[in-house]
Amino acid sequence: MGTAENVELVRRGYEAFNAGDMATLSEIFAEDAVWHAAGGGVLSGTKQGRDAVLAYFGELGARSQGSFQANVQDIVGGEKHTVAIQQTHSEGNGKTLDSGTVVAFVVRDGKIAEGREYSEDTAKWDDFWA
């Protein structure tokens, strides 16, 4: 796949994520996918395997009472990485999270093989999920 196809795959992933479409997410993530969640909070750390990645996504939705949204501002494709710039918004337990976030994706054989989150303020993320 080329850079345009990688960008489209990542864009499709965001659409599925924001719609809660776990079936599509399951299709586009590699079985051995890895996800790195920034910070030092309860949801931070490395998720190994597609099932663990999807469980993490489900936890974001559950802990935010379904309000978590990753609003894409731009997606930039490269030969080895596809990078998404997003504004993350979520509300729950009387708290609001509104944070700039970047996710660097690795696409392998037409599937997302890795995602690595970078937040403008990981302490804010950790506090929100606490």
Side-chain angles (χ1 to χ4, degrees), residues 6-125:
N6 291 349
V7 166
E8 184 53 37
L9 178 70
V10 168
R11 188 173 308 284
R12 188 171 156 227
Y14 271 93
E15 290 168 0
F17 176 88
N18 285 326
D21 181 354
M22 297 305 246
T24 296
L25 288 172
S26 184
E27 288 175 21
I28 67 173
F29 273 84
E31 188 174 338
D32 63 346
V34 178
W35 192 271
H36 307 277
V42 296
L43 296 181
S44 301
T46 300
K47 316 322 180 198
Q48 298 278 354
R50 177 177 50 218
D51 291 344
V53 172
L54 297 181
Y56 167 66
F57 292 165
E59 190 72 13
L60 294 173
R63 286 179 176 253
S64 67
Q65 293 81 48
S67 71
F68 191 94
Q69 288 287 294
N71 300 305
V72 175
Q73 296 176 334
D74 206 355
I75 300 176
V76 181
E79 290 299 316
K80 295 184 181 181
H81 295 89
T82 300
V83 178
I85 302 165
Q86 70 188 52
Q87 189 66 26
T88 302
H89 184 83
S90 186
E91 298 177 10
N93 298 320
K95 299 178 187 177
T96 299
L97 175 65
D98 196 29
S99 178
T101 308
V102 173
V103 181
F105 294 92
V106 174
V107 177
R108 182 185 70 233
D109 300 327
K111 303 240 183 216
I112 296 173
E114 183 176 357
R116 192 174 291 271
E117 295 176 7
Y118 300 94
S119 172
E120 71 180 342
D121 188 344
T122 54
K124 187 188 299 184
W125 275 70

